[in-house]
Amino acid sequence: MEKILLYITVPSVMFAVSTLANIQYHFIYEPRSWSDAQSYCRKVYTDLVTADSAEIMTKLRDSVDWNKLGSQTNAWIGLYEDVNSWRWSLSDEAFYQDYGTLYRNWPTGQPDNNGGSGESCLEMTGSGEWNDIGCDQLRKPICSSVSGQTATFTVVNSLMTWTQAQSHCRSHYTDLASVKSSTDNDNIKAIKPAEEAVWLGLFRDQWKWSNGSLLAYTYWMSGEPNGPTESCAATHFDQSGVWVDWECREAKAFICFHEVPSSNHVVKIKLAGSSTVNLQDAAVQEGLLNQLKEKLKMQGVTADIRLGWKRRRDGNVFYQEKQDDQK
Ligand SMILES: [Ca+2]
Ligand SMILES: [Ca+2]
């Protein structure tokens, strides 16, 4: 553990803890499918690269060996659309006993992620069949009230996005409807407005990183992602590294990352003074991180450094030091 104190003028004495990890990037130029690339990175290093900032994208652009990359000019990164993660909004295991959660009523050709537009929510169409569709569409929800393993269904006569529908059902009933059998499906079809599509509780994850990180930063090429069956992302070095989705079975060069455990540090920052900076402001926090990075460089830290705030259980980065904490 290494402790560095950084004094900056702010309202009162506060502490924050920041983690510092050393990340190395490894380019593998022998082409593999995305999942083979993922296996290789997990075996030899940590995982396929999580390129979740402009800073990392710049580093990757600066590190690529164009001669080894060859004419393909792009490489897999750890980003993929998790099309196999369909699950019900209601996750209560006791409710699914003897039935399981696996009943599906997809017609041939669905789910199709039409247009590669992130169709990650389930509607029941007018005819009672299922269709994956964008969650921002407006539909009436089918809510369920659950008692033991029995559900009763209710149509809510108001148009909502899928997320609004989920909140509404959870507030006023048990949850959005789960369909455990063809009988449930028939019952819902019978009560919903004829010819009208409605929301059911099935949904899936969209794009996410191989190491489990959620997608907070994006660098898609204009018009991408666009392929209904293109569920893996590559960075195109001939176009500033922008991301494009491809069929995962394509063989491409790829980039792994390695988190070097020996150089993990927790740095505790102490701030003292009397100005009126809002420490919960994300821009202020970023500014402080940049100052810390500069300070580490001045102290001779030359390795790749990656800084982030460590959140406390209450969700705050900073906290006011109590008198008896002061040592
Ligand atoms: Ca569809
Ligand atoms: Ca594409």
Side-chain angles (χ1 to χ4, degrees):
M1 289 290 200
E2 185 174 311
K3 285 186 180 172
I4 297 169
L5 292 183
L6 181 70
Y7 290 89
I8 298 174
T9 306
V10 286
S12 53
V13 180
M14 301 218 176
F15 276 117
V17 176
S18 176
T19 55
L20 189 159
N22 191 355
I23 306 283
Q24 295 174 349
Y25 301 102
H26 297 270
F27 285 70
I28 313 295
Y29 295 98
E30 181 198 333
R32 291 178 188 238
S33 69
W34 189 91
S35 57
D36 285 353
Q38 181 191 48
S39 300
Y40 179 92
C41 291
R42 286 178 172 178
K43 192 170 156 201
V44 179
Y45 301 106
T46 302
D47 209 330
L48 271 169
V49 65
T50 300
D52 56 357
S53 72
E55 192 180 10
I56 294 172
M57 286 308 305
T58 301
K59 193 178 291 287
L60 298 181
R61 279 197 299 269
D62 291 347
S63 310
V64 67
D65 183 329
W66 284 91
N67 290 329
K68 290 182 182 166
L69 189 63
S71 59
Q72 193 175 240
T73 71
N74 61 78
W76 289 129
I77 54 176
L79 190 61
Y80 73 110
E81 187 172 21
D82 197 352
V83 293
N84 296 316
S85 57
W86 288 102
R87 58 197 183 274
W88 294 105
S89 176
L90 176 64
S91 59
D92 179 7
E93 277 180 28
F95 171 67
Y96 295 100
Q97 272 177 9
D98 306 329
Y99 293 92
T101 58
L102 297 177
Y103 174 80
R104 300 287 186 264
N105 194 35
W106 302 115
T108 305
Q110 298 291 346
D112 64 353
N113 197 22
N114 183 31
S117 57
E119 295 198 328
S120 58
C121 287
L122 171 65
E123 64 171 10
M124 177 185 277
T125 64
S127 64
E129 288 187 325
W130 291 9
N131 177 43
D132 61 333
I133 194 164
C135 306
D136 54 353
Q137 298 292 308
L138 299 177
R139 301 280 182 269
K140 292 172 184 170
I142 303 292
C143 299
S144 65
S145 297
V146 168
S147 172
Q149 293 173 42
T150 309
T152 49
F153 302 113
T154 307
V155 186
V156 177
N157 198 27
S158 174
L159 292 169
M160 306 177 192
T161 66
W162 189 90
T163 307
Q164 289 167 342
Q166 182 189 45
S167 300
H168 182 88
C169 291
R170 286 179 171 178
S171 298
H172 300 279
Y173 305 89
T174 303
D175 210 324
L176 264 172
S178 294
V179 184
K180 295 194 286 190
S181 65
S182 56
T183 307
D184 284 347
N185 207 73
D186 290 345
N187 288 341
I188 291 170
K189 186 186 170 188
I191 61 163
K192 79 173 186 62
E195 304 307 315
E196 203 173 311
V198 289
W199 285 132
L200 301 179
L202 202 70
F203 72 105
R204 67 164 169 84
D205 295 335
Q206 298 189 2
W207 290 91
K208 62 187 187 188
W209 295 102
S210 178
N211 75 338
S213 299
L214 296 178
L215 190 62
Y217 161 85
T218 60
Y219 195 47
W220 292 112
M221 180 188 283
S222 171
E224 301 277 340
N226 64 350
T229 58
E230 297 177 345
S231 304
C232 292
T235 172
H236 282 241
F237 289 109
D238 56 337
Q239 296 181 64
S240 314
V242 288
W243 304 342
V244 173
D245 63 345
W246 288 86
E247 301 260 358
C248 302
R249 64 170 182 265
E250 296 256 353
K252 294 183 180 298
F254 55 99
I255 310 162
C256 306
F257 81 93
H258 186 206
E259 196 161 359
V260 184
S262 61
S263 58
N264 279 346
H265 302 275
V266 174
V267 181
K268 197 172 185 183
I269 306 169
K270 186 177 181 180
L271 304 162
S274 59
S275 84
T276 54
V277 177
N278 178 7
L279 287 169
Q280 306 309 335
D281 184 323
V284 171
Q285 291 179 7
E286 194 183 333
L288 288 173
L289 275 189
N290 288 335
Q291 286 188 46
L292 177 58
K293 207 173 276 186
E294 287 307 310
K295 197 165 180 81
L296 288 170
K297 278 185 194 158
M298 280 163 55
Q299 292 186 356
V301 177
T302 53
D304 287 349
I305 51 176
R306 193 173 182 200
L307 293 175
W309 294 113
K310 191 174 167 74
R311 283 191 188 279
R312 289 157 50 80
R313 281 200 193 125
D314 61 9
N316 288 328
V317 169
F318 287 95
Y319 64 99
Q320 184 143 14
E321 184 188 42
K322 288 185 195 137
Q323 204 61 39
D324 56 7
D325 278 350
Q326 288 178 344
K327 282 170 188 158

